[in-house]
Each structure stands twice: as C-alpha cells, then as structure tokens.
C-alpha cells in the first residue's frame, strides 16, 4: 500500500469538515475522489500535502500512512523530498511573470529571484515536453499569456519536475474545453503507464474522472458514501443520479 488514510478527521477552527474518512491507494494506481462543491475534496488533499498555510485544515483524528509511515509525524517540507509526493493545486498557481521554462525550473529551485541558477534535470524537462509538446513550443512565453489548458499542463509539468512518483491533482478539468481536458488526461495516463506514477485525482466532473481512474470514492459532506471500481461507480444508480446527470 502506498497511501492509507484511516478514519481521518479534519477541522477548520472548531468546524469539522471531514468526519472520519478512510481510503487507500496502491503503488501505480489511478484513483479518484469525486464529490460536489464543498464535499471536502480540497480539504482532503490539503491534509495529505500538509501545506504550511494559515488557512490549512487541522487533522484532529485518524492517521495518514505513506509507505506504512505516519505522515502526521513528518515535517511538511520533507514530504516532497523524502516521500516524493507532489500536489497540483486547484487554480494552478503558476508564476505569470516567469516563462514556461522558468516555471519548470522553479519547481526544483524555489528561489524566484535566482531562478537562473537552477540546475534542471534535462531528462525530466524532456519528459515534460514530450508529454506536453505545447509547453515546449511556448517555453519562452510568460506564464500569464498561456491559455487555461496550457497553464494546467504547466502546473502538472512543475509537479513532475520534483521527481515525485505520487501526484495529487485538484480538479484538473476545471475550466478546460473538452478537447484540452482529454489531452490532459491522456498525458496523465501515459505518465502512469510509462513512468509508473501513482495518481490521485480529485474531481467534480465525475464522468471524466471515472473514465480516467480505475477506482474511486464518493465524498459527500465530509464522508465517503460509496467506493468501488470506476465501472461499479458509473453503474451505481445513486452515483448516476447525483453525479452523472441521471
Ligand atoms: P470545491 O469543489 O467547491 O472546492 P471541495 O469538495 O474541495 O469543494 P472543500 O474546499 O474541501 O470542498 O470544503 C469543505 C468544507 O470546508 C466546506 O464546507 C468549506 O466551506 C469548508 N472550508 C474550506 N476551506 C475553509 C477554510 N479555509 N476555513 C473554513 N472553512 C473552510
């Protein structure tokens, strides 16, 4: 088991938003967590990534095991380096005033003023560019001039630059035209198949998420209400009604 979330409870202040959720991911799997607005998807990812932000949720119960070790006892900054997990956050957060290439460099050298000093792994950059040829075409273009889909690709590319073998994506389909969205998911699947990267994708778009992942969990107001293979979930009458437009 790569990741095991056990009875996880999470709060903002004294408001509990995750009421004891459990799920797991094996090495090499693509798993999805689907749910409506406010179900707790982003809070789940934030708890896993343990972003050091003031508005970060607080884990009040349960545990998160990564390769059998409790992550709750690990400093957040060591997670990327030691546990090799990377988060592609909702809304992308790329640097608009830096070029595509600089955005990729900064992933491995987090000093924005000295980004030119970054030594990047040529093989990894090659891999990112072969996965997303659009990024190579636009490597000298500033981030803010990219389209939404290209920015999303860049955000994924940046996560790959860290050399992580586990990537978590928060609503990668958000705001993308269908063609770009499928291009993105195709690239992610390729990554999973060729590089054996494990993927956890959080999505409001249940239809596309279940096409992409092999297994999934449905999160509703802080609880997991159904789980199963993507085929089982897609055929489940409740899931169909609530998340797949009937
Ligand atoms: P969305 O798809 O809208 O992003 P989500 O499934 O990712 O939804 P979360 O963002 O995890 O849901 O929100 C879960 C609950 O936690 C919601 O009720 C939300 O209002 C609350 N919440 C989220 N962030 C905070 C915060 N910083 N402070 C207080 N409450 C928060």
């Amino acid at each position: 088991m790569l990741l095991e979330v056990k009875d996880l409870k999470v709060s903002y202040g004294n408001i509990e938003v995750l009421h004891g959720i459990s799920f797991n991911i094996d090495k090499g799997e693509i798993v999805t967590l689907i749910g409506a607005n406010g179900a707790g998807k982003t809070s789940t990812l934030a708890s896993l990534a343990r972003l050091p932000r003031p508005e970060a949720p607080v884990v009040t119960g349960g545990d998160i095991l990564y390769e059998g070790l409790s992550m709750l006892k690990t400093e957040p900054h060591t997670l990327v380096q030691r546990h090799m997990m990377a988060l592609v956050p909702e809304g992308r957060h790329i640097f608009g005033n830096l070029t595509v290439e600089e955005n990729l460099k900064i992933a491995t050298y987090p000093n924005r003023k000295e980004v030119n000093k970054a030594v990047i792994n040529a093989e990894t950059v090659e891999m990112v560019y072969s996965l997303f040829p659009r990024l190579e075409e636009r490597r000298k273009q500033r981030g803010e001039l990219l389209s939404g889909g290209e920015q999303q690709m860049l955000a994924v590319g940046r996560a790959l630059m860290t050399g992580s073998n586990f990537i978590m994506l928060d609503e990668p389909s958000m705001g993308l035209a269908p063609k770009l969205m499928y291009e993105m998911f195709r690239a992610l699947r390729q990554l999973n198949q060729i590089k054996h990267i494990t993927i956890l994708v959080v999505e409001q778009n249940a239809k596309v998420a279940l096409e992409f992942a092999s297994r999934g969990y449905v999160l509703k107001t802080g609880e997991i209400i159904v789980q199963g293979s993507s085929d089982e979930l897609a055929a489940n009458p409740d899931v169909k009604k609530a998340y797949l437009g009937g």
Side-chain angles (χ1 to χ4, degrees):
M1 202 67 71
L2 185 66
L3 179 80
E4 203 177 350
V5 173
K6 289 163 109 174
D7 200 20
L8 185 70
K9 297 194 171 91
V10 163
S11 297
Y12 294 98
N14 52 15
I15 300 173
E16 189 177 270
V17 296
L18 295 179
H19 313 295
I21 62 167
S22 299
F23 64 94
N24 55 62
I25 305 174
D26 252 336
K27 252 187 197 138
E29 271 196 304
I30 302 180
V31 173
T32 185
L33 198 59
I34 55 180
N37 259 329
K41 305 180 300 296
T42 300
S43 302
T44 305
L45 289 192
S47 312
L48 295 177
R50 297 178 63 214
L51 302 176
R53 297 211 182 117
E55 74 277 19
V58 176
V59 174
T60 56
D63 207 349
I64 303 169
L65 304 179
Y66 193 85
E67 292 184 322
L69 290 178
S70 170
M71 287 183 17
L72 299 181
K73 297 180 186 89
T74 311
E75 286 299 311
H77 69 271
T78 66
L79 289 176
V80 176
Q81 292 147 15
R82 211 167 64 206
H83 293 300
M84 301 295 219
M85 63 201 297
L87 173 68
V88 181
E90 192 176 3
R92 295 149 205 158
H93 303 290
I94 65 163
F95 296 109
N97 57 342
L98 299 183
T99 65
V100 165
E101 198 139 286
E102 285 168 342
N103 266 282
L104 291 176
K105 283 181 173 179
I106 217 165
T108 53
Y109 193 87
N111 183 339
R112 214 183 330 171
K113 295 209 177 76
E114 298 185 333
V115 67
N116 289 330
K117 288 190 189 166
V119 181
I120 50 175
N121 182 330
E123 203 181 312
T124 317
V125 179
E126 256 339 283
M127 192 254 292
V128 171
Y129 284 157
S130 70
L131 210 53
F132 300 118
R134 276 162 187 270
L135 292 183
E136 182 163 28
E137 287 160 22
R138 289 160 178 73
R139 39 190 257 279
K140 300 284 177 213
Q141 188 169 310
R142 285 207 317 276
E144 64 198 359
L145 300 176
L146 299 176
S147 73
E150 291 160 356
Q151 289 189 5
Q152 184 66 43
M153 291 172 191
L154 182 54
V156 174
R158 219 173 40 178
L160 293 175
M161 291 301 296
T162 62
S164 300
N165 50 24
F166 177 40
I167 292 191
M168 302 182 280
L169 301 121
D170 197 352
E171 308 231 13
S173 79
M174 176 104 81
L176 298 193
K179 188 170 169 285
L180 271 187
M181 184 175 76
Y182 280 103
E183 203 173 300
M184 159 75 53
F185 279 115
R186 241 192 326 271
L188 289 170
R189 182 169 292 139
Q190 215 179 332
L191 201 62
N192 168 261
Q193 286 168 351
I194 299 169
K195 296 279 169 190
H196 311 293
I197 289 179
T198 307
I199 299 177
L200 171 61
V201 61
V202 152
E203 263 297 341
Q204 223 176 111
N205 186 337
K207 185 174 175 294
V208 71
L210 292 177
E211 279 172 26
F212 169 63
S214 54
R215 248 170 12 91
Y217 296 84
V218 179
L219 192 62
K220 187 179 177 189
T221 52
E223 286 178 67
I224 286 173
I225 53 163
V226 201
Q227 58 175 294
S229 71
S230 293
D231 290 344
E232 283 165 356
L233 292 180
N236 179 309
D238 295 335
V239 175
K240 266 187 177 164
K241 188 159 167 256
Y243 304 98
L244 297 169

